[in-house]
Amino acid sequence: MSFLTDHLVVDGVRLAYRDSGSGEPVVFLHGTPSHSYEWRDVVPHVEAAGHRVVAYDLLGHGLSERPAHRDTSVAGQTDLLGHLLDALGVEEVSLVAHDIGGAVALRFALAHPGRVRRLMIMDSVSYDS
């Protein structure tokens, strides 16, 4: 069985994602050149602790679309994160991020401080790639 369970078109591009559990939402952002499968052993524990968990493959990674015409930079991924959260009806979130996902999370937190409850960054790249 695949770790990701659904696909959603967000801002004109298809993202592969998983949205499971209930409670306070936690979003996991992966690094590069990886995909959200890197969270496969963590997500079930966070769900079991009573959280709604969203994990997705960044645009151009894993099972998400790889459009040649779209911006897949940290800035572009940050905008898509906001669109994804809007599409899923998530207003305030805790972000757990690694590598390039860390830069996306940092930029999102700076741009939307009222939407980020907690921020956990691991082995992150800087503000932009």
Side-chain angles (χ1 to χ4, degrees):
M1 181 163 86
S2 176
F3 175 69
L4 300 179
T5 56
D6 296 292
H7 295 267
L8 181 67
V9 175
V10 176
D11 195 31
V13 293
R14 183 187 50 76
L15 298 177
Y17 75 103
R18 169 194 186 104
D19 183 0
S20 57
S22 60
E24 182 183 316
V26 179
V27 173
F28 287 84
L29 298 164
H30 66 81
T32 186
S34 189
H35 47 87
S36 60
Y37 189 71
E38 71 182 32
W39 301 113
R40 70 192 176 281
D41 294 329
V42 177
V43 164
H45 296 284
V46 177
E47 289 171 356
H51 295 279
R52 175 182 179 187
V53 175
V54 175
Y56 72 101
D57 287 343
L58 296 172
L59 186 64
H61 297 266
L63 298 175
S64 288
E65 187 175 0
R66 293 174 180 79
H69 67 284
R70 283 298 295 260
D71 179 9
T72 58
S73 70
V74 169
Q77 300 285 5
T78 301
D79 291 341
L80 276 175
L81 172 58
H83 292 304
L84 176 64
L85 294 178
D86 292 342
L88 296 175
V90 175
E91 185 58 36
E92 192 177 45
V93 68
S94 294
L95 298 172
V96 179
H98 169 249
D99 190 60
I100 196 170
V104 173
L106 288 168
R107 287 181 66 108
F108 187 82
L110 287 170
H112 309 281
R115 294 190 77 177
V116 179
R117 178 173 290 172
R118 292 180 194 89
L119 185 60
M120 178 185 281
I121 305 294
M122 295 161 278
D123 194 25
S124 179
V125 299
S126 63
Y127 188 71
D128 201 348
S129 57

